[in-house]
Amino acid sequence: MNTIKRGLLTAVFAVGLTASAAHATTLKYAFQGTLNQLDPYSLNETFTLSALGNVYEGLTRRNENLEIEPSLAESWEVVEPTRWRFHLRHDVKFHNGNDFTAEDVAFSVMRLHGEGSDLKTRVGTDVKVEIVDDYTVDFVLPDANPILNYEWDTFYIMDKEWTEANDAVAITSASDTTANYAALHANGTGPFKVVSHEPGVKTVYEKNEAWWDESHSNLDRVEFTPIGSDATRVAALLSGELDMAYPIPVQDIKRVEQNATTSVMTGPELRTIFLGMDQMRDELLHSDVKGKNPFKDVRVRKAFYQAIDMEGIKRKIMRNLSEPAALMISPFLFSRSAEFERYPYDPEAAKALMADAGYGDGFSVGMDCPNDRYVNDEQICQAVASMLARIGVKIDLNAQPKAKYFAKVLASGGYDTSFYLLGWTPSSFDSWNIFSNIEGCRDEQGNGAPFNLGGYCNPKVDELSKQILKENDQTKRDDLIAQVYTITHEDVSHIPLHQQGLAWGVAQGIELAQRADNQFLFRFVTKN
């Protein structure tokens, strides 16, 4: 598989990870968005999975350099091309004292595929789980799959006994308004326990003294508070109320750096921010165009693409802390990325395309955008709206907190969107993740590519994607991947915008690992 350059994965000042604690200490940190649910299968979103990754664990995990290493499975082997065997770690206990066994793995796979799960693609629905003994599990596949466990660091294992006893087998989806027990309480095997959780307000963690692994962190308590206001979040860091805050707005980086007791960690992120359009419905839900769907016409999609000035967004909104994207994946994750270029910014060409498609006078369309999820997300959407106005498109912008945004646009909300902004980091760090989650065909219920919110569909992409999953020869595999990107680029399946940069603010004495997947894990943190 593609090798990611080590230097791009971790900030150069991720040091001191083996420091030991002389006394108990508390870390206080803030993120721009909320942690609403503790159910590890409710929302496939980096911040939520990161926050829960301090409590729950997968069979595998990734270290500070994003390399796969053993976790609840101490080893694994491919017994035959379609059978993977995982040898589970003995003497691991959940936070409530229950033993971790193979029954919990089989149960977790079953629950992962349940209604309301947002992580179904972590393990294919056609994969069978066979319990060999209490500490050995086989995954039987329909075909060979060389990247079976590439996404399993965020496929967290749940306690079967605890989940069933608390009537929490059914998943509380991102759109549900009534939370079950697992959405409000957590019981993992990880290095920290959740001791209190007020959804959207505050979550408190304490060290798990019985954790099976050796801890390199000296933290005994962690307090998380969501702070949506950039100014308030930065002020709290500067005043010493917080030990860590992220993201730091690009316009405030200099001020945080110049403060005597704080600094900013910056680095590349593997996430791609992009725009999507409803290409499935015969009539858009939110538009003044009736009886047809303008986004079914590739000329309209390309017009939108060429109307957006990404260099302007990079310079004025992102303050150069971003890199315009030609593909739906970071160039660090595909060896042939340099072969692809963005369609040029050209408003006149965009106007001509609109006219050719029969929309010379433009039209109006609603746009969904989070305002607390990605770096400058609402500002980016506002800029896009302004640029599209120049080609006659009137945008009705609906920017709202991520909880409401995801509840509306995901499968659980009926894909209620016509035009939207989304960000995606392939959890496997592989292109197949993009194709299976975003570029593949889906039905109205989300079967297929569940995060293809706009319903783009080209059967050739699905055909090539199946070949990519099974192909072991890297050169052949890269050629198949390049074919898919060529098709989706020409189809304008989506409009890639940029890879945003990371900017984390830390107080003096805080040492941590800044991973390029933007996960903040307490086991890599020390406070001196």
Side-chain angles (χ1 to χ4, degrees):
M1 311 309 298
N2 294 329
T3 300
I4 308 171
K5 295 181 181 178
R6 174 183 290 266
L8 293 169
L9 295 181
T10 326
V12 293
F13 32 85
V15 296
L17 298 180
T18 59
S20 60
H23 58 275
T25 190
T26 297
L27 178 88
K28 297 182 179 180
Y29 83 103
F31 178 69
Q32 65 180 356
T34 58
L35 176 61
N36 295 299
Q37 291 198 35
L38 300 181
D39 190 322
Y41 305 158
S42 289
L43 185 61
N44 187 14
E45 182 238 358
T46 298
F47 173 73
T48 298
L49 294 175
S50 172
L52 296 179
N54 296 296
V55 179
Y56 287 98
E57 296 177 292
L59 296 182
T60 65
R61 68 185 183 191
R62 290 184 183 268
N63 62 20
E64 61 270 34
N65 297 308
L66 295 179
E67 299 160 332
I68 295 175
E69 62 183 23
S71 184
L72 293 181
E74 58 186 8
S75 65
W76 54 91
E77 57 194 320
V78 181
V79 180
E80 52 193 56
T82 59
R83 181 180 293 268
W84 288 50
R85 177 161 293 171
F86 289 81
H87 301 280
L88 308 182
R89 201 172 295 278
H90 292 237
D91 301 320
V92 173
K93 292 187 179 295
F94 288 95
H95 295 160
N96 67 348
N98 287 347
D99 291 329
F100 159 69
T101 70
E103 289 282 353
D104 300 305
V105 176
F107 168 77
S108 295
V109 173
M110 180 277 295
R111 189 175 187 272
L112 187 78
H113 293 148
E115 183 178 355
S117 171
D118 204 33
L119 282 86
K120 293 179 181 178
T121 59
R122 290 295 190 274
V123 181
T125 55
D126 52 4
V127 174
K128 296 179 180 179
V129 180
E130 295 182 358
I131 296 176
V132 179
D133 58 43
D134 284 350
Y135 295 99
T136 310
V137 177
D138 282 0
F139 286 77
V140 184
L141 320 179
D143 295 292
N145 177 359
I147 60 170
L148 174 69
N149 64 339
Y150 272 37
E151 301 184 38
W152 283 11
D153 56 307
T154 51
F155 161 39
Y156 301 130
I157 304 302
M158 298 187 70
D159 179 1
K160 178 178 186 289
E161 181 182 345
W162 175 84
T163 309
E164 291 178 340
N166 289 291
D167 194 25
V169 175
I171 297 169
T172 302
S173 79
S175 302
D176 288 336
T177 56
T178 303
N180 70 14
Y181 193 83
L184 300 174
H185 305 81
N187 181 39
T189 58
F192 288 84
K193 304 177 181 180
V194 171
V195 294
S196 69
H197 175 62
E198 300 173 72
V201 179
K202 187 176 184 179
T203 303
V204 179
Y205 306 77
E206 287 184 358
K207 181 181 180 180
N208 175 19
E209 298 288 353
W211 189 38
W212 58 268
D213 199 7
E214 177 184 357
S215 178
H216 297 299
S217 168
N218 67 349
L219 303 179
D220 288 293
R221 181 181 173 91
V222 178
E223 298 178 3
F224 163 66
T225 305
I227 303 179
S229 165
D230 289 342
T232 304
R233 190 167 63 254
V234 171
L237 177 68
L238 295 176
S239 70
E241 296 175 45
L242 295 174
D243 299 300
M244 187 272 191
Y246 74 118
I248 298 300
V250 290
Q251 63 270 20
D252 289 321
I253 290 177
K254 185 176 181 181
R255 183 158 67 103
V256 175
E257 278 288 333
Q258 291 177 339
N259 186 54
T261 58
T262 57
S263 61
V264 177
M265 300 173 67
T266 59
E269 186 179 7
L270 301 178
R271 183 188 316 278
T272 300
I273 305 298
F274 63 92
L275 300 175
M277 301 146 283
D278 179 358
Q279 301 169 52
M280 177 177 279
R281 295 181 176 92
D282 292 328
E283 180 179 300
L284 295 176
L285 294 177
H286 310 287
S287 175
D288 63 353
V289 178
K290 302 303 176 185
K292 57 181 177 179
N293 179 350
F295 289 138
K296 285 181 177 286
D297 192 320
V298 67
R299 293 170 295 184
V300 173
R301 302 196 297 271
K302 189 175 181 182
F304 273 48
Y305 193 132
Q306 293 201 260
I308 298 171
D309 179 6
M310 283 311 304
E311 289 297 332
I313 289 175
K314 175 183 178 179
R315 184 175 63 255
K316 296 179 181 179
I317 296 177
M318 300 302 291
R319 307 290 179 94
N320 293 317
L321 197 65
S322 66
E323 191 59 41
L327 296 177
M328 293 285 284
I329 194 169
S330 165
F332 300 136
L333 301 180
F334 179 46
S335 63
R336 292 174 55 177
S337 293
E339 297 175 17
F340 297 86
E341 295 182 357
R342 288 185 59 83
Y343 287 115
Y345 167 57
D346 190 337
E348 294 306 314
K351 289 179 183 177
L353 285 166
M354 289 287 284
D356 287 346
Y359 299 98
D361 294 329
F363 58 86
S364 67
V365 63
M367 180 181 189
D368 291 292
C369 183
N371 60 16
D372 63 352
R373 179 59 196 94
Y374 311 113
V375 177
N376 293 334
D377 41 16
E378 184 173 5
Q379 295 96 310
I380 292 169
C381 289
Q382 290 171 342
V384 167
S386 176
M387 293 167 184
L388 290 174
R390 299 170 190 166
I391 65 169
V393 177
K394 181 181 182 299
I395 294 295
D396 181 13
L397 181 59
N398 179 26
Q400 53 187 339
K402 66 172 185 174
K404 292 183 177 179
Y405 168 79
F406 285 126
K408 181 176 187 290
V409 305
L410 293 178
S412 57
Y415 295 115
D416 180 12
T417 186
S418 296
F419 183 44
Y420 60 91
L421 178 139
L422 192 65
W424 191 264
T425 303
S427 51
S428 62
F429 309 127
D430 179 81
S431 291
W432 184 81
N433 173 277
I434 304 290
F435 307 150
S436 64
N437 284 281
I438 297 175
E439 300 283 19
C441 301
R442 69 160 174 85
D443 61 20
E444 294 181 357
Q445 287 71 46
N447 298 309
F451 300 97
N452 177 4
L453 308 187
Y456 162 76
C457 180
N458 186 323
K460 183 64 176 177
V461 169
D462 281 1
E463 178 187 329
L464 289 168
S465 181
K466 291 176 181 178
Q467 296 178 46
I468 289 165
L469 182 60
K470 296 184 288 185
E471 182 57 64
N472 285 304
D473 183 284
Q474 189 62 58
T475 301
K476 293 179 180 177
R477 195 170 191 273
D478 282 351
D479 183 63
L480 293 169
I481 290 171
Q483 289 182 50
V484 174
Y485 283 133
T486 298
I487 292 169
T488 56
H489 177 70
E490 293 175 351
D491 284 349
V492 193
S493 65
H494 299 80
I495 303 175
L497 297 181
H498 60 225
Q499 279 86 39
Q500 63 184 29
L502 296 176
W504 295 5
V506 294
Q508 193 173 39
I510 300 297
E511 297 172 341
L512 53 83
Q514 183 185 53
R515 299 195 335 184
D517 62 353
N518 203 24
Q519 287 203 35
F520 177 49
L521 299 176
F522 311 154
R523 63 189 173 99
F524 298 127
V525 183
T526 60
K527 180 178 179 180
N528 301 314

